[in-house]
Amino acid sequence: MKKQFIFTLIATAAFASCNKFDLNYDQSALENKDTEAINENATKVIGNIDPEQDWNSINSNTVTVTANANLADIVKVQILTESPFLNPEAKVLSEKAATNGQTVTLSYDAPNAYSQLIAACVNSKGNYYIQVFDANAPKSVSFTQTKASAPRRASASDVPSFTTLKLGKPRKSLNAQRAAKGESFTISGTTYTEWSNSGWDDDMWELADGNTFDNGWQMDSEKNKGHVFRTISGFAEGEEDNVKAIVNNFLYKYAKENSKDKKNNLAAVRNSANFKTNQNYVITDGKSPITLIPIQAWSTEFKWNHIYYYFFNPDEIPAEMTEAEYIKTLPKFKAVQVERVQTSVEMNAGAFYRRQEFLLPYFKNAPVEGDNEASPIFPAGYKVGFLNCKYEGTNYNKWDNDKYGCVYGDGQLNFEVNHLKGAFLSAMDKSIGGQLDGGMSFTDSRIALFTANDKNYLTFEDGSDCTFSDMVFEIGGGTKLEEEVYSDEEISGAAYTMCFEDRPMQADYDLNDVVLRCIRISKNVLQMTLVAAGGNDDVVIHGAEGWRYNDTEVHEAFYATEPVNGNRFVNTVKGGTHRDVLSDFVIVPDGVTIPMYLKNIYIENKTTGKMIQLSKKGEAPFAIIVPEEFDYPEEFTPITGAYEEFIKWAQDVNSSNDWYKYEEADKIFPSLFKKW
């Protein structure tokens, strides 16, 4: 039977004083004996340690949250490290039960790498609504926007009043042009047969001169020819931070900040509850207009991107046709030309904006050049899909350019274009002839549809890298999802990692001689884990009150008491001795945080007779707490080699305090507990 320890009032008092516990040894001995040798060794590896450096990577604070988000049946509020939408890296720092409108106060311990944190309301179905707040100076958080500050979205009361619209002369889509070439055609020395008998026979339509609009809607200049749009007031107060958090945590463009390596976000898109390879449609509600609001276009080829839409009543698909066959014949209507929305400066900066709203008119009959019966609001129950027609300038008939093509949110419509050897094929997985590890299949969607904070978003992959962050659009209203989508798996609690050196005088500072991990399971239950033992000395863990492995020698716990290949290292050498991590639960009193619990833990080196605890201000680091799932250095690699920013932080407490975010991949031991 596993031992569980229930704290008494005496234990609670011990936590109140944090580090005041009886170590049964002369604490001054470690500080005074051989201090010169210890400091000399530390200086060789770390340099001159900032005398103000206390090795604390955790900010503790309190925030009051009112659960008034636009979300039915709220059951709790949480404090999170990051946006929870399609983001497995988000972690819960604190939570409390709450109902709609209730105000609660939450205390949290946050990694100091975060200048902003997320307050979230969560309902009984697991759906989230978030609000960003300042991690260092939190104020009361509310989710309600005043009417004056709320961003404008088109409604039935302010649509333009038209009953007909003029369309210009249509042109065949790039897919239809290629299909008309017969059994095969050649581009730049490559022969393609995929368009033969593909069924593509669709026309592309744009609005013509002569249309006039009211209620602030316009199409009155050459620059904006082909669109029905209006200027809107931008983001509401605090909303831009929310949008940045939602988009960047899900689909950040690069693998790391200031990195040139693009991030492959395909797995995140595929694993989302929102994603469906052959769907990504919205359904018209029949009440409000459908609009698109561009909020970002982080693509070097944004001037090539032309967003179109199509629509159909599923009940009207002929019995002899599949949905895909039917869509290939439907007219496609221009919605947004991205070149007319943003600038190159904004693209290079990854800027967010919200300044124009584009209307998607409903055409009641098959379109013709000239006047067409039209309405600003769709009937209810229509499916609306989206595509990006990619071409440069006015080269919309340049079918023989392998960088031009139409890419869809419905993946089955991308089969032909994904074979083009230019930018499109390079996004395919290497196993099917592409150039990307973890790349697309030939029928993957190139537009992801997701829902966050009661809004639907479209995010595009226009080329070869699978970032899915080339463009982001908000769908401004008039639609609902094909089916109710619940949030992804519930966000797990934040983990903390505690790492020790077992010989201060001879420390190699790989900080893996004892590695512990702690995560909160519930209000009064922590899960403590022994992860690794990277030393040969007999080392005993103390101070982990109530934990099964407290007062236990680490090698004995791992059943690694005999030397293996001349050492007793466990889970610190790639290809070396491997053991499953060892976990058990600890019951703690109300108000005891993970950092409070960990600060009481120290190790005893039985071989040398020394005790090692968290270092004091200005001392060399023989024990540190890292506020995340930490990839500790592999054996014999100092932390300054595995995490190059660590040395900057050690020498200047105000510099690189997010050092643990930037590891050298070949110098860390692959984390065992990230795979749980």
Side-chain angles (χ1 to χ4, degrees):
M1 179 177 179
K2 293 183 177 180
K3 181 176 77 172
Q4 290 185 337
F5 183 92
I6 301 179
F7 280 81
T8 65
L9 290 175
I10 296 175
T12 305
F15 274 109
S17 59
C18 278
N19 289 322
K20 293 180 181 178
F21 45 81
D22 183 9
L23 298 178
N24 296 318
Y25 77 103
D26 183 0
Q27 295 188 46
S28 64
L30 179 63
E31 299 174 8
N32 298 325
K33 186 178 180 181
D34 299 319
T35 299
E36 184 176 341
I38 291 173
N39 291 341
E40 182 179 350
N41 182 49
T43 302
K44 288 179 182 178
V45 179
I46 300 174
N48 296 319
I49 296 171
D50 187 336
E52 296 301 313
Q53 179 56 264
D54 61 1
W55 310 108
N56 179 40
S57 296
I58 301 164
N59 287 332
S60 300
N61 230 316
T62 300
V63 65
T64 300
V65 180
T66 301
N68 56 0
N70 186 23
L71 195 64
D73 194 23
I74 294 171
V75 296
K76 61 184 175 182
V77 294
Q78 295 179 332
I79 304 302
L80 308 173
T81 54
E82 301 176 6
S83 164
F85 299 110
L86 308 110
N87 178 21
E89 300 302 317
K91 302 298 179 186
V92 177
L93 298 173
S94 181
E95 74 173 30
K96 276 191 178 181
T99 57
N100 290 70
Q102 186 177 358
T103 298
V104 295
T105 299
L106 299 95
S107 298
Y108 60 86
D109 298 292
N112 61 3
Y114 293 97
S115 60
Q116 294 181 323
L117 295 173
I118 305 291
C121 292
V122 190
N123 71 4
S124 59
K125 295 179 179 178
N127 288 315
Y128 284 82
Y129 199 109
I130 72 164
Q131 179 63 53
V132 173
F133 68 94
D134 186 343
N136 299 312
K139 300 178 181 179
S140 297
V141 176
S142 174
F143 298 83
T144 300
Q145 297 173 349
T146 65
K147 186 175 181 180
S149 68
R152 291 189 66 191
R153 298 168 72 178
S155 64
S157 63
D158 62 359
V159 294
S161 55
F162 59 80
T163 56
T164 61
L165 289 177
K166 293 182 183 295
L167 290 172
K169 185 177 181 179
R171 63 179 189 276
K172 286 295 181 183
S173 73
L174 289 165
N175 284 335
Q177 293 176 52
R178 288 165 176 152
K181 297 300 172 183
E183 293 184 1
S184 65
F185 56 84
T186 300
I187 302 177
S188 302
T190 300
T191 299
Y192 299 95
T193 60
E194 287 76 23
W195 277 265
S196 177
N197 298 314
S198 62
W200 284 105
D201 188 22
D202 52 338
D203 291 321
M204 313 295 281
W205 295 86
E206 295 183 19
L207 293 176
D209 290 332
N211 291 295
T212 58
F213 301 97
D214 54 8
N215 285 338
W217 297 86
Q218 58 183 302
M219 194 196 75
D220 59 354
S221 70
E222 183 65 26
K223 183 178 180 181
N224 290 290
K225 182 178 179 181
H227 309 88
V228 184
F229 77 100
R230 68 172 179 175
T231 301
I232 55 177
S233 57
F235 292 104
E237 183 179 355
E239 183 67 11
E240 184 172 359
D241 286 338
N242 289 344
V243 170
K244 287 179 178 178
I246 290 166
V247 174
N248 286 343
N249 289 148
F250 168 35
L251 296 173
Y252 194 67
K253 189 77 170 180
Y254 297 99
K256 293 180 181 178
E257 219 172 320
N258 302 320
S259 167
K260 294 182 179 180
D261 297 326
K262 297 293 182 64
K263 184 179 179 183
N264 185 343
N265 291 306
L266 179 60
V269 172
R270 280 179 171 162
N271 293 334
S272 161
N274 294 256
F275 177 77
K276 295 180 180 179
T277 299
N278 293 329
Q279 295 301 322
N280 288 324
Y281 290 100
V282 292
I283 308 299
T284 58
D285 64 13
K287 300 176 182 178
S288 301
I290 303 173
T291 63
L292 292 182
I293 303 172
I295 61 174
Q296 189 182 59
W298 204 347
S299 168
T300 56
E301 295 173 339
F302 73 91
K303 294 182 179 181
W304 294 24
N305 293 325
H306 309 255
I307 311 306
Y308 283 75
Y309 67 101
Y310 59 95
F311 54 86
F312 59 96
N313 184 341
D315 296 335
E316 295 178 359
I317 299 175
E320 68 276 10
M321 300 181 75
T322 66
E323 185 175 89
E325 289 171 337
Y326 185 56
I327 293 169
K328 288 180 176 182
T329 67
L330 290 176
K332 311 303 189 298
F333 300 95
K334 194 167 189 177
V336 183
Q337 185 168 335
V338 181
E339 179 182 10
R340 295 168 180 170
V341 176
Q342 78 156 21
T343 67
S344 296
V345 171
E346 289 171 321
M347 183 281 294
N348 291 326
F352 287 85
Y353 44 81
R354 192 181 187 279
R355 52 175 172 254
Q356 290 177 320
E357 185 172 25
F358 293 83
L359 180 71
L360 277 55
Y362 166 62
F363 294 92
K364 298 185 178 182
N365 304 304
V368 297
E369 184 179 359
D371 289 334
N372 290 261
E373 212 178 338
S375 170
I377 298 178
F378 278 75
Y382 274 64
K383 277 188 175 184
V384 180
F386 301 93
L387 64 145
N388 175 26
C389 189
K390 187 176 180 181
Y391 59 87
E392 185 178 14
T394 58
N395 295 325
Y396 41 73
N397 290 320
K398 201 80 169 126
W399 64 268
D400 57 348
N401 187 322
D402 56 15
K403 295 179 176 61
Y404 294 175
C406 297
V407 295
Y408 283 77
D410 190 331
Q412 60 191 331
L413 304 177
N414 292 330
F415 177 81
E416 295 84 11
V417 72
N418 276 343
H419 280 82
L420 284 174
K421 198 172 181 179
F424 303 109
L425 180 64
S426 60
M428 300 302 107
D429 192 79
K430 286 183 177 179
S431 65
I432 55 174
Q435 300 176 13
L436 201 62
D437 289 323
M440 294 183 180
S441 72
F442 286 116
T443 54
D444 262 320
S445 171
R446 281 181 173 266
I447 306 172
L449 169 66
F450 71 98
T451 300
N453 273 22
D454 196 36
K455 294 180 181 178
N456 295 326
Y457 294 91
L458 296 172
T459 180
F460 292 74
E461 173 50 54
D462 72 356
S464 60
D465 46 34
C466 292
T467 65
F468 277 84
S469 57
D470 293 322
M471 295 176 291
V472 183
F473 288 72
E474 177 190 331
I475 302 177
T479 65
K480 58 183 179 180
L481 297 181
E482 201 163 358
E483 60 185 58
E484 185 174 6
V485 176
Y486 303 124
S487 295
D488 295 321
E489 292 184 12
E490 187 170 356
I491 308 301
S492 61
Y496 295 76
T497 309
M498 192 171 190
C499 302
F500 288 90
E501 277 291 313
D502 65 358
R503 285 194 171 211
M505 285 184 63
Q506 297 85 27
D508 58 5
Y509 292 99
D510 55 12
L511 285 167
N512 63 17
D513 295 333
V514 176
V515 180
L516 305 173
R517 178 240 203 193
C518 189
I519 188 170
R520 185 173 294 279
I521 301 301
S522 63
K523 179 181 178 183
N524 297 107
V525 179
L526 307 180
Q527 184 182 51
M528 274 285 295
T529 302
L530 175 60
V531 180
N536 283 311
D537 293 351
D538 287 336
V539 174
V540 178
I541 299 170
H542 295 301
E545 297 294 339
W547 186 44
R548 179 177 183 175
Y549 300 100
N550 191 39
D551 300 328
T552 300
E553 203 283 318
V554 293
H555 299 93
E556 291 180 2
F558 277 127
Y559 292 96
T561 56
E562 297 298 324
V564 178
N565 298 326
N567 64 62
R568 304 167 73 195
F569 306 144
V570 179
N571 298 339
T572 63
V573 179
K574 296 173 184 175
T577 300
H578 173 270
R579 293 287 190 273
D580 289 339
V581 297
L582 302 174
S583 294
D584 204 357
F585 299 103
V586 178
I587 298 175
V588 297
D590 290 354
V592 173
T593 67
I594 292 177
M596 288 171 62
Y597 183 84
L598 292 179
K599 286 177 181 179
N600 287 280
I601 297 176
Y602 62 100
I603 62 173
E604 177 186 4
N605 188 323
K606 289 285 189 180
T607 304
T608 65
K610 304 299 183 184
M611 305 287 185
I612 296 96
Q613 65 187 87
L614 286 173
S615 301
K616 297 178 181 178
K617 185 182 292 186
E619 292 181 341
F622 306 125
I624 61 171
I625 298 172
V626 184
E628 67 172 18
E629 303 276 24
F630 181 58
D631 295 323
Y632 49 87
E634 65 178 338
E635 198 63 53
F636 304 125
T637 298
I639 195 165
T640 53
Y643 292 85
E644 293 182 357
E645 294 293 309
F646 181 87
I647 198 166
K648 296 179 182 178
W649 181 59
Q651 296 177 11
D652 180 359
V653 70
N654 298 312
S655 173
S656 299
N657 59 9
D658 59 348
W659 61 270
Y660 47 85
K661 294 287 185 182
Y662 305 102
E663 75 277 1
E664 297 296 318
D666 60 339
K667 296 180 180 179
I668 58 174
F669 189 80
S671 175
L672 299 171
F673 43 89
K674 275 189 176 178
K675 299 177 182 178
W676 290 6

